[in-house]
Amino acid sequence: MPIPLQKTFTYAISEAEAKFLQKGMRVAVSFGKTKIYTGLAFSIHTNKPNLYEAKEIHQILDETPIVNEFQLKHWQWLSEYYMCSLGDVYRAALPSAFLLESETIIYLNNTFTNEEVLTNDEFLIFEALQHQSSLTVHQVSDILGKKKVMPIVNDLLKKSVIYVKEEIYETYTPKLIKYVRINKVLENDISLEQLLEQLSRAKKQREALLAFFQLSTSKKPVKAKDLEKYAKVSSVVIKSLVDKNILEFYQLKTDRINFKGDVSELKTLNNHQKNALSSIEETFKTKDVTLLHGVTGSGKTEVYAKLIQNVLDEGKQVLFMLPEIALTTQIINRLQTYFGKQVSVFHSKYSINERVEVYQNVMSNKTKAQIILGARSSLFLPFSNLGLIVVDEEHETSYKQFEPSPRYNARDAAIVLAKIHNAKLILGSATPSLESYFNATQNKYGLVELNRRFNDIQLPKIELIDLKEKYRKKEMSGRFSDRLLKLITEALEEKEQVILFQNRRGFSPIVECKTCGVSPQCPNCDVSLTYHKFKSELRCHYCNYTRAMPNSCGACGSNDLDSKGFGTEQIELELKALFPDYKIGRMDLDTTRGKHGYQKIIGAFEAREIDVLVGTQMLSKGLDFDNVSLVGILNADTMLNFPDFRAHERAFQLMVQVSGRAGRTKKQGHVAIQTYNPYHQILQQVSTTDYQAMFKEQLQERWQFKYPPYFRVIKITLKHKDYTKVDTGIHWLFKALYNVFGEHVLGPSAPAIARIRNQYIKNVVIKIPPKQSLTNTKQQVLKIKNTFEAVKEFRPIRFIIDVDAY
């Protein structure tokens, strides 16, 4: 069932249903007193449940299974490894259109007359039903202004005022296109001349009919829209031809996303890429997973394309995974020019219906779904003969799902998926994660290095700018040092483009009163509100609470408000003042809200309509722009001083990735990094792009402080709106875990932001030494969790387990 319960449930079916029903089909079943859910047939057997009476199923919803054996195996692994229920995985894996939900519909019982027995709330509903034939539970809650309305509905049922029905909604609707054809009756009996004679007075209709015959000579079906365009008439004219029984409309089902364009040959690889390709093919003979460590701009995508071509020639499917939707827009174009209609895209910016279509195409192994390009959710598609998985930019944190459950890491889950299908998997990155590189050095994965950029262009020249010094010498204008401004000016005069990176959106993160020092806080979270100048509002980036920017301080009434820190919006405005003749663009969560938000900005930048692009970490992911000669990082220190054991590794990856956007085609690029601490070891390693030095140093620290890749980590989080409950709960939990695991339990601690959406948060971390069994550890944790949930006062607390919580 798509509900977060650990176990499966048994329902009764007739013999005929048992013959028809297969594993992986959906069935509508009632669960609890009134709810109807879409269950998934997991196994069909003849064992009666002992503890409860098996209910009958309502109906079977599918003709054929919509989930295959490979998926069910993968789901079981996910649920066991990440300690979540199968229901959670089921809900995450299927597009929500497949999960039919019941909606309780309430009707008025017309025989009811005794209105005196009704309470005020009940009378309101009774009155509403006089005007409307039926109401849903949601509408009742709107009428009463309450969330919990089921008790009132139940009372009305007892008093026989109403009766209810459960209705099931199928939420996927196929896209239909309207076509026109000549009415069958007329095909033989009447000649074109007679028809035109009939229409001698209706000039527009005659033109439309002639246009129809011209279009139909190509033997292709004629779309109603195309006919309107071609004949230059309105839809009314065509409708009148249909009314006269000369033409008729019919509809055909079509997919919402289709590739339009020309297919070109794969690019010829240079020698370095050829060597890398043959090394990968060699390692695939002995290993299932290979790590391709290629510097930024070395042409990894071309190597992937060759590998994909080989797998397609064998008639197998390919999954190409990317961390960020922003990236897909560019890679879609590149893969589609190579493979045309064989590429399908699957990610959360697509509508429900579009996702259902891709799901169905993959299931029936259509030619248009041989290569699937998608973010982490594409892992759940119903592949039947997967041959290759490519995980590009494998170090990215976006591959990890944090909320809601299952809290899986798509890279690790992809490795298991490849094993289930006996497929090969390639991990690609210029800055691999420590775990992957460690596994490669330990001989678990194959390792292939690609150390030269395409066309032998040199890696960008990286320069560190000391902000302390610049402020002391008063050489700053706004957030820019004189050196960075000089570099930007030079690049723009050369008609080249510039990327500026600041990993914080909005105008400034803190607004402070100069008189009393108070800054506006979010009422629901423990954070100060971020100022967004464009809408003149203060916004919380955790719960989306917004309020207008105040004119005076709420604490002391002073009008002297000052903003501290800076985000992308402030940089964009400063640049517009400094470079009024150039076009400045911004790419962050605020500007890429719509479905095609990314495409518009990336498209405009590629078409050189934008001279300077300011953005957050979205810019750091493998994007390929040929005219960028300068990349500026405006404040490197915010990334380094982060309370997380991976802060240094992440900062290195982010800076090297952003730097890699510069100088990718013709001449060497330039990178300027502004920092208060230019002698920091990570910045020094970034300036020489020395991955090996960073790897060795970080590994040593990880061993010393017992962190991955040596020790495994399970994080347990408790959340509740009552602080004392969470506090008592976490101390009880810590003691219970400490009794079992001893010093390997860290905590209890509050995260950097200890309250989000009015929920207080406390954490405990369990470290698992290399020799300790992961399975036994998980069993112990689950035992403790069950005991915890059995305590009455702890029951309302949300208990979250996150395996590999990084």
Side-chain angles (χ1 to χ4, degrees), residues 274-294:
K274 277 180 189 157
N275 295 341
L277 181 66
S278 53
S279 307
I280 292 169
E281 285 167 346
E282 198 51 46
T283 55
F284 273 163
K285 288 175 185 169
T286 52
K287 304 237 175 0
D288 289 336
V289 181
T290 295
L291 174 65
L292 173 60
H293 178 207

Side-chain angles (χ1 to χ4, degrees), residues 437-641:
Y437 203 78
F438 178 73
N439 281 335
T441 55
Q442 297 293 309
N443 226 2
K444 272 190 189 169
Y445 303 165
L447 176 63
V448 176
E449 308 261 359
L450 190 53
N451 295 328
R452 300 293 285 275
R453 277 188 141 186
F454 198 73
N455 291 344
D456 281 341
I457 295 159
Q458 286 179 297
L459 281 166
K461 186 166 151 234
I462 298 176
E463 179 180 336
L464 299 172
I465 299 168
D466 188 348
L467 286 176
K468 268 202 314 280
E469 195 72 4
K470 295 288 177 193
Y471 273 113
R472 195 169 60 80
K473 292 181 176 170
K474 300 202 166 43
E475 289 174 345
M476 298 289 291
S477 44
R479 305 290 169 190
F480 298 92
S481 58
D482 57 343
R483 175 73 183 138
L484 181 56
L485 283 177
K486 184 175 174 238
L487 290 170
I488 295 175
T489 315
E490 281 171 10
L492 291 175
E493 280 169 359
E494 294 277 326
K495 300 258 184 303
E496 289 161 347
Q497 289 167 296
V498 178
I499 286 179
L500 294 177
F501 172 80
Q502 166 62 5
N503 209 3
R504 178 168 270 156
R505 62 192 171 102
F507 183 83
S508 66
I510 297 169
V511 173
E512 190 179 81
C513 168
K514 279 187 175 176
T515 315
C516 69
V518 168
S519 63
Q521 299 287 315
C522 171
N524 312 318
C525 313
D526 277 346
V527 284
S528 51
L529 294 168
T530 303
Y531 173 39
H532 286 248
K533 192 166 190 170
F534 172 63
K535 288 187 174 170
S536 187
E537 67 181 15
L538 295 173
R539 180 181 292 166
C540 170
H541 286 177
Y542 289 87
C543 68
N544 273 337
Y545 165 83
T546 50
R547 55 177 277 203
M549 173 70 180
N551 297 324
S552 58
C553 170
C556 71
S558 157
N559 293 339
D560 204 359
L561 297 177
D562 181 27
S563 58
K564 291 264 195 293
F566 62 103
T568 46
E569 201 181 353
Q570 185 169 344
I571 290 163
E572 183 190 20
L573 291 169
E574 278 187 20
L575 282 169
K576 281 178 177 165
L578 290 163
F579 302 100
D581 306 336
Y582 294 97
K583 182 93 172 69
I584 315 292
R586 171 161 62 97
M587 181 164 155
D588 55 28
L589 198 59
D590 300 319
T591 59
T592 53
R593 291 273 182 208
K595 179 174 171 182
H596 301 293
Y598 298 104
Q599 264 158 322
K600 279 179 197 154
I601 296 170
I602 290 171
F605 196 61
E606 278 179 332
R608 306 188 186 182
E609 289 162 18
I610 296 174
D611 300 303
V612 183
L613 184 59
V614 183
T616 55
Q617 47 85 30
M618 290 177 184
L619 287 176
S620 67
K621 322 281 168 73
L623 293 167
D624 185 22
F625 302 116
D626 56 1
N627 193 35
V628 175
S629 65
L630 171 70
V631 166
I633 295 174
L634 290 154
N635 189 350
D637 305 306
T638 47
M639 294 180 266
L640 292 167
N641 309 328

Side-chain angles (χ1 to χ4, degrees), residues 180-181 183 186 195 198-199 202 204-210 212 227 233 235-249:
V180 191
R181 62 184 167 210
N183 197 322
L186 302 177
L195 277 179
Q198 262 185 30
L199 300 172
K204 286 276 187 206
Q205 291 177 21
R206 269 184 68 147
E207 280 171 17
L209 190 62
L210 281 167
F212 170 76
L227 182 56
V233 294
S235 54
V236 181
V237 175
I238 295 167
K239 192 168 182 318
S240 49
L241 281 170
V242 172
D243 294 341
K244 286 181 178 174
N245 286 333
I246 295 172
L247 294 180
E248 65 180 11
F249 287 138

Side-chain angles (χ1 to χ4, degrees), residues 44 57 69 91 154 173 201-202 223 268 273 297 340 387 456 459 491 536 615 618 627 718:
I44 298 151
I57 64 166
E69 288 280 352
R91 195 170 263 290
N154 282 337
T173 44
R201 289 190 180 171
K223 285 185 192 171
T268 322
Q273 288 171 313
D456 281 341
L459 281 166
S536 187
M618 290 177 184
N627 193 35
L718 298 187

Side-chain angles (χ1 to χ4, degrees), residues 638-647 751-753:
T638 47
M639 294 180 266
L640 292 167
N641 309 328
F642 205 73
D644 177 20
F645 74 92
R646 299 187 71 168
I753 294 155

Side-chain angles (χ1 to χ4, degrees), residues 106-110 112 126 129-130 132-134 161-163:
I106 298 164
Y107 299 92
L108 183 65
N109 180 1
N110 293 322
F112 177 79
F126 174 72
L129 282 168
Q130 307 280 347
Q132 258 171 300
S133 58
S134 65
V161 183
I162 56 166
Y163 63 94

